[in-house]
Amino acid sequence: MNSSYEIGTGRRSGRLARSAIAVALVGVLAACGGDTADPDGAPAPAGDGAWPVVIDHKYGSTSIPAAPTRVVTLGLSDQDTVLALGIKPVGAVDWFGERPFGNWAWVKDRWGGTQPEIVGERDEYDVEKIIELAPDLIIAQYSGMKKEQYDTLSKVAPVVAQSAKYEDYSTPWDEMTRTIGQALGKTEQVEQLLGDIDKRFADIRQQHPEFAQQTIVVADPSEPGMYAAFAKSDPKAQLLAEMGFKLSDQVEQAAGQDTAAVVSSERLDILDVDRLLLLATDESVEPRVRADPVFATLKVVTGGKAVFVPYMEPPIGAALSFVTVLSVPYAIDQLLPSLTKTGS
């Protein structure tokens, strides 16, 4: 995986399934993967454009011959966009045992009684399970998919891998959304969803012009004694910038090519900005961090501008980490009251 930092990051042991039955099935499905043609052989009608659709990505380009109906998502948050566009993925990856495809408040109702098959964890995919689902499209946008994995899965169905223009896990969330919409033949619907969110951001910037004068940092202090301050390439920071805040140049310099600058208490000066959001992965985080004598002296803390954001109860941190067309409105609603406080 390229340089990145996620909440709860911890690569667990996994494998790329290579069983004999998987190899045999690949040969069968390669001939029919993605075939959603009408009985007379004509391509299935596109949602708002002509088929086939060709999408460029990190490993070349992929042609999608017809409107997909059986979609497997391999990106950590890709399923949100697919759901928002009216399709329930038949397969999705797990995220550190959290089963995020169905847990979050902004997405539960969209799954209803149907949930996807788990086809891997993070960037470790179970090819055998994917084959059994007979997908006609595989999407891997917010992912660290490797070339070997792409080559293997491309024998199963068309694969839309992550962008070639950015480091893995660094593609802007709206660009990933548009790519998924293009792959599903639903570009007009995607633009409507993004337009609604853009208007919400514009309204916030208009209603709170003071945000433009404030530098903000979002950090994860879940590792005792360490703080991961997210750089401009991270979706969480991007969302706050859309709300009108300035992002920290100091954090950007410290992060270098990574999506976060990981520092100890001795370098907490880079967190001493106008506004500070800290992601609390459990109830022990806030009291532990507030007990840090260096943290307690920061002006952003003494001025009441440091806010601890729960990850699960409610899932504000999860919404910030996902940053999708479904989680962003939820995150805005949950965050705005804290960000507009004058102090505490």
Side-chain angles (χ1 to χ4, degrees):
M1 184 181 70
N2 289 336
S3 297
S4 64
Y5 189 95
E6 309 274 350
I7 292 297
T9 295
R11 179 180 295 277
R12 298 179 183 177
S13 60
R15 64 184 178 85
L16 184 62
R18 299 289 191 184
S19 69
I21 187 172
V23 173
L25 284 171
V26 163
V28 175
L29 290 173
C32 59
D35 183 6
T36 57
D38 292 335
D40 61 1
D48 54 8
W51 299 94
V53 168
V54 179
I55 300 178
D56 295 331
H57 51 72
K58 183 174 182 177
Y59 301 122
S61 63
T62 293
S63 177
I64 304 168
T69 58
R70 294 185 60 80
V71 180
V72 167
T73 58
L74 300 182
L76 299 181
S77 60
D78 296 354
Q79 67 276 354
D80 271 22
T81 300
V82 177
L83 279 170
L85 296 174
I87 296 174
K88 293 182 182 180
V90 296
V93 292
D94 204 353
W95 195 3
F96 319 119
E98 295 172 354
R99 304 178 77 81
F101 53 80
N103 276 351
W104 310 132
W106 60 88
V107 77
K108 279 184 177 180
D109 292 344
R110 292 180 180 266
W111 284 112
T114 304
Q115 291 198 347
E117 181 78 18
I118 296 296
V119 295
E121 185 172 314
R122 196 175 170 83
D123 296 332
E124 301 293 341
Y125 314 130
D126 189 328
V127 175
E128 192 171 338
K129 281 189 176 181
I130 294 172
I131 291 171
E132 291 171 355
L133 291 172
D136 50 25
L137 179 64
I138 298 171
I139 296 173
Q141 287 301 290
Y142 196 45
S143 81
M145 175 182 280
K146 300 294 187 287
K147 179 64 162 59
E148 179 187 10
Q149 294 170 313
Y150 171 79
D151 290 341
T152 299
L153 291 170
S154 292
K155 297 174 183 177
V156 179
V159 180
V160 181
Q162 64 267 37
S163 173
K165 296 187 293 182
Y166 305 91
E167 292 291 323
D168 292 351
Y169 299 105
S170 297
T171 303
W173 72 273
D174 54 346
E175 187 165 329
M176 290 189 290
T177 302
R178 287 189 169 94
T179 298
I180 293 172
Q182 182 185 3
L184 298 178
K186 296 177 179 289
T187 56
E188 291 182 4
Q189 190 175 345
V190 158
E191 292 305 323
Q192 179 64 54
L193 291 169
L194 291 175
D196 291 344
I197 292 174
D198 285 344
K199 184 179 184 306
R200 183 73 191 280
F201 281 135
D203 289 345
I204 290 172
R205 293 192 296 267
Q206 183 179 27
Q207 294 162 8
H208 299 282
E210 70 275 13
F211 287 177
Q213 306 305 315
Q214 299 174 8
T215 299
I216 196 167
V217 168
V218 56
D220 173 18
S222 60
E223 184 70 23
M226 303 299 292
Y227 300 78
F230 294 98
K232 297 176 182 179
S233 59
D234 184 85
K236 294 177 282 297
Q238 293 165 8
L239 185 149
L240 293 167
E242 290 281 4
M243 295 178 75
F245 288 100
K246 295 187 295 183
L247 299 180
S248 169
D249 290 333
Q250 196 172 6
V251 167
E252 192 72 11
Q253 292 171 4
Q257 296 299 310
D258 293 342
T259 55
V262 181
V263 300
S264 62
S265 295
E266 289 74 18
R267 282 302 321 274
L268 285 188
D269 57 291
I270 72 170
L271 302 187
D272 206 359
V273 290
D274 300 307
R275 291 277 183 177
L276 177 61
L277 288 184
L278 297 118
L279 303 174
T281 52
D282 60 56
E283 294 179 355
S284 69
V285 171
E286 181 171 356
R288 170 172 53 77
V289 172
R290 289 197 181 278
D292 183 332
V294 179
F295 178 85
T297 64
L298 299 180
K299 291 180 181 179
V300 68
V301 176
T302 59
K305 303 293 185 178
V307 177
F308 284 83
V309 176
Y311 184 63
M312 285 296 293
E313 299 294 340
I316 305 173
L320 269 174
S321 299
F322 261 53
V323 191
T324 68
V325 290
L326 297 182
S327 74
V328 166
Y330 177 89
I332 291 173
D333 290 341
Q334 296 291 322
L335 279 175
L336 201 55
S338 296
L339 292 174
T340 54
K341 285 182 179 178
T342 57
S344 60

